[in-house]
């Protein structure tokens, strides 16, 4: 399964809203289709939407369109992940737009492998790790960030087991992470999100591993809503919390998490589950898609440039000037 | 709407699994039907299942059955709520089983009113309070415990608003609490459970108010899974957490929360949502129905005997010898 592929000037991707029931590939040459797919979460995951947006600009270039307004429309699809703007800026600035999009994708695949190695070294043998949402192949186009760490530990025969937060409202854990783990033969159990704290308290979890959608200059990390509650529970019971994300997720221009825009999504995602209305008629909902975990609760940030430890401000500043690896 | 009623020697109750879509009353003279309804959560809420079990024994007495095995079967339906065994023991010991069941129900109605008054005094005007699961009329047969406090504050024109955790897996918040609040005209919004911590961090919540299924002698409180995560978030942001429960929920014979049996429920509650399978075929789940919030995170425990403050051990011990009110 390739979540995203560039083929003969067209973009082919899996519609993630239909997983795990159906593996449906969409093929398009229209950048507007890509924008719509990002908005609907058919394409999702901070690194993957960056890659998809980069390819969308390549499609727009092939159509002979003015790239600037297309890039602005793509950037507006989702406000929290910084990878989106980062990838668009790279493609806009490149002499060869198409090659740059392919390069962004290739770099992510290499970054995932490197994060996998660095992160797996942090996981004890026979550990049960808990993860939230989907930070896997479906989120990055490589082996995944947080899930890449778990897959690498598994490939090293380290006997890792996984507790998967189902991740309401859109159930990326139950639908996508479970599906990826099953494909790898990694043992896992699904839990409702709110069961995590009690299981951490009972000693059932040796590490919490999550991805990120944006990391501020001080190490505060925005990730799928629910991550902050996990971080509080992990800290209360001295369980390490690892944030695994490519360097493109680091937003050195945003000093702290309070500067990160949190996307509010539509109410029906909460009021309906799997197409069935669960709330009474007339009910309203609040639906923040992300929350911010303060750097003080993060044990380490795993990037392809290295494993960052607190204090994150200096660690991020010192690595920010490094050239990208794996070019 | 009466969630439970004793009428001419029969028990009539609302099947809560069908709410809010359908208000369906079940009428039975068979105690085995009551046990099945408790098991399936057609009847739920710690005080309400105590009342239902008490009436079930009255039904068994009318059938001329040996009460002891019927009581044991009812006690075995759900292991966490201590009200169940407490109500059964009271009915078994009474000379007139039927009158005792009615008395338990009447006392709960009175206890709810008293808890409502005591608890409402703790809620600031114009507060947004966050609640989890359903600790309302559907959980007690009166005005509710935690929800009774909110209803009382609303009746006092205190301009209370509510954030309702949807409460996966069985969505008692989105289905039942939302329904009760709508009926009272109390403004509310539904959130996914894992959004609570981020909203508390943003200052959107002035108090967290929950019920309990069992309170140990030291004040540790078992409640619907997810309560512990709320308690951690509330403490991290100095938001008060109030546990509201009738005295019958206090289990003075269990010294601490570690002695409370946590019910593990069936996997399909997690793997399916509203009848639709969301997880891949072959997936497994863990489904603890409760978690324990340590007494140290509880700001106050509101009972009909008074508002308890830490340290809870002496507070519980001193009130344990009081006779029940409202006999």
């Amino acid at each position: 399964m390739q979540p995203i592929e560039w083929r003969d000037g067209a973009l082919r991707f899996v519609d993630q809203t239909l997983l795990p029931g159906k593996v449906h590939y969409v093929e398009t040459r229209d950048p507007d289709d890509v924008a719509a797919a990002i908005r609907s979460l058919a394409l999702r995951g901070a690194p993957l939407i960056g890659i998809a947006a980069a390819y969308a600009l390549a499609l727009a270039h092939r159509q002979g369109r003015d790239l600037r307004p297309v890039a602005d429309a793509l950037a507006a699809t989702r406000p929290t992940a910084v990878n989106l703007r980062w990838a668009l800026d790279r493609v806009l600035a490149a002499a060869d737009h198409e090659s740059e999009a392919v390069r962004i994708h290739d770099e992510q695949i290499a970054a995932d492998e490197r994060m996998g190695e660095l992160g797996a070294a942090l996981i004890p043998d026979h550990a049960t790790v808990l993860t939230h949402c989907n930070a896997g192949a479906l989120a990055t186009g490589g082996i995944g960030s947080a899930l890449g760490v778990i897959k690498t530990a598994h490939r090293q025969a380290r006997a890792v087991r996984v507790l998967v937060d189902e991740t309401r409202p859109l159930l990326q854990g139950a639908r996508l992470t479970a599906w990826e783990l099953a494909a790898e033969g990694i043992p896992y159990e699904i839990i409702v999100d709110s069961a995590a704290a009690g299981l951490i308290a009972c000693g059932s979890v040796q590490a919490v591993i999550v991805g990120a959608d944006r990391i501020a200059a001080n190490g505060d990390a925005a990730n799928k809503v629910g991550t902050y509650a996990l971080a509080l529970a992990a800290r209360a019971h001295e369980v390490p919390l690892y944030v695994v994300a490519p360097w493109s997720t680091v937003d050195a221009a945003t000093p702290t998490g309070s500067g990160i825009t949190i996307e509010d999504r539509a109410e029906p995602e909460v009021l309906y589950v799997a197409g069935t209305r669960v709330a009474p008629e007339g009910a309203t909902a609040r639906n923040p898609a992300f929350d911010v975990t303060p750097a003080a609760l993060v044990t380490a940030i795993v990037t392809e440039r290295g494993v960052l430890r607190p204090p994150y401000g200096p660690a991020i500043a010192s690595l920010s000037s490094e050239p990208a690896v794996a070019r």
Side-chain angles (χ1 to χ4, degrees), chain A residues 38 49-58 67-78 81-94 97 100 104:
Chain A
I38 294 172
I49 64 177
I51 293 163
Y55 283 132
L57 276 191
L67 294 194
R68 183 64 63 178
V70 177
D72 289 345
L74 285 160
T77 51
R78 303 207 58 199
V82 74
N83 317 59
L84 190 55
R85 188 77 249 179
W86 167 89
L88 290 165
D89 287 344
R90 270 187 63 174
V91 175
L92 285 175
H97 305 301
E100 189 68 9
I104 287 170

Side-chain angles (χ1 to χ4, degrees), chain A residues 88-124:
Chain A
L88 290 165
D89 287 344
R90 270 187 63 174
V91 175
L92 285 175
D96 181 339
H97 305 301
E98 194 168 316
S99 304
E100 189 68 9
V102 171
R103 193 174 297 122
I104 287 170
H105 191 179
D106 288 345
E107 284 177 19
Q108 182 64 45
I109 292 168
D112 280 7
E113 295 294 332
R114 183 74 185 130
M115 291 188 286
E117 286 162 27
L118 292 170
L122 302 173
I123 309 300

Side-chain angles (χ1 to χ4, degrees), chain A residues 18-322:
Chain A
L18 303 176
L19 291 174
K22 201 162 146 186
V23 184
H24 174 71
Y25 288 91
V26 176
E27 190 166 316
T28 182
R29 295 174 185 269
D30 184 347
D32 300 337
D33 288 348
V34 181
I38 294 172
R39 248 193 311 270
S40 73
L41 273 56
L43 283 163
R44 50 150 294 284
L48 194 74
I49 64 177
I51 293 163
Y55 283 132
L57 276 191
L59 293 174
H61 178 68
R62 284 185 167 238
Q63 289 181 329
R65 286 168 67 172
D66 180 7
L67 294 194
R68 183 64 63 178
V70 177
D72 289 345
L74 285 160
T77 51
R78 303 207 58 199
T80 301
V82 74
N83 317 59
L84 190 55
R85 188 77 249 179
W86 167 89
L88 290 165
D89 287 344
R90 270 187 63 174
V91 175
L92 285 175
D96 181 339
H97 305 301
E98 194 168 316
S99 304
E100 189 68 9
V102 171
R103 193 174 297 122
I104 287 170
H105 191 179
D106 288 345
E107 284 177 19
Q108 182 64 45
I109 292 168
D112 280 7
E113 295 294 332
R114 183 74 185 130
M115 291 188 286
E117 286 162 27
L118 292 170
L122 302 173
I123 309 300
D125 286 357
H126 302 281
T128 295
V129 302
L130 189 149
T131 191
H132 190 69
C133 197
N134 173 270
L138 291 163
T140 69
I143 60 169
S145 53
L147 225 48
V149 168
I150 293 169
K151 289 175 187 176
T152 304
H154 175 72
R155 287 167 192 175
Q156 294 170 351
R158 304 270 302 288
V160 64
R161 302 178 59 87
V162 188
L163 282 175
V164 179
D165 270 2
E166 65 172 5
T167 317
R168 276 281 287 152
L170 294 175
L171 300 166
Q172 291 95 334
R175 294 191 301 111
L176 309 180
T177 297
W179 188 69
E180 285 197 37
L181 291 171
E184 299 277 328
I186 301 172
Y188 71 92
E189 290 173 300
I190 300 170
I191 59 173
V192 298
D193 304 314
S194 69
L199 291 167
I200 289 170
C202 291
S204 301
V205 176
Q206 282 71 57
V208 176
I209 310 184
V210 296
D213 291 77
R214 194 190 306 201
I215 298 171
N218 72 337
D220 290 350
N223 189 43
K224 177 56 58 195
V225 68
T227 304
Y228 176 45
L230 290 179
L232 287 170
R235 177 53 52 95
H237 298 281
E238 296 176 12
V239 169
L241 166 69
Y242 300 118
V243 172
V244 186
W247 197 262
S248 57
T249 304
V250 175
D251 177 15
T254 296
T256 71
S258 64
I260 299 175
T261 303
I262 300 297
E263 178 183 9
D264 278 307
R265 291 186 58 85
E267 297 181 33
E269 290 182 356
V270 177
L271 302 174
Y272 293 74
V273 187
T276 301
R277 183 163 184 112
V278 292
E281 288 306 317
T284 58
R286 284 179 75 167
N287 187 17
F290 303 94
D291 59 26
V292 174
T293 295
L297 298 178
V298 178
T299 307
I301 300 175
V302 179
T303 77
E304 75 276 24
R305 295 190 183 184
V307 176
L308 282 57
R309 297 280 184 176
Y312 294 109
I316 288 171
S318 78
L319 287 176
S320 286
S321 49
E322 274 196 17

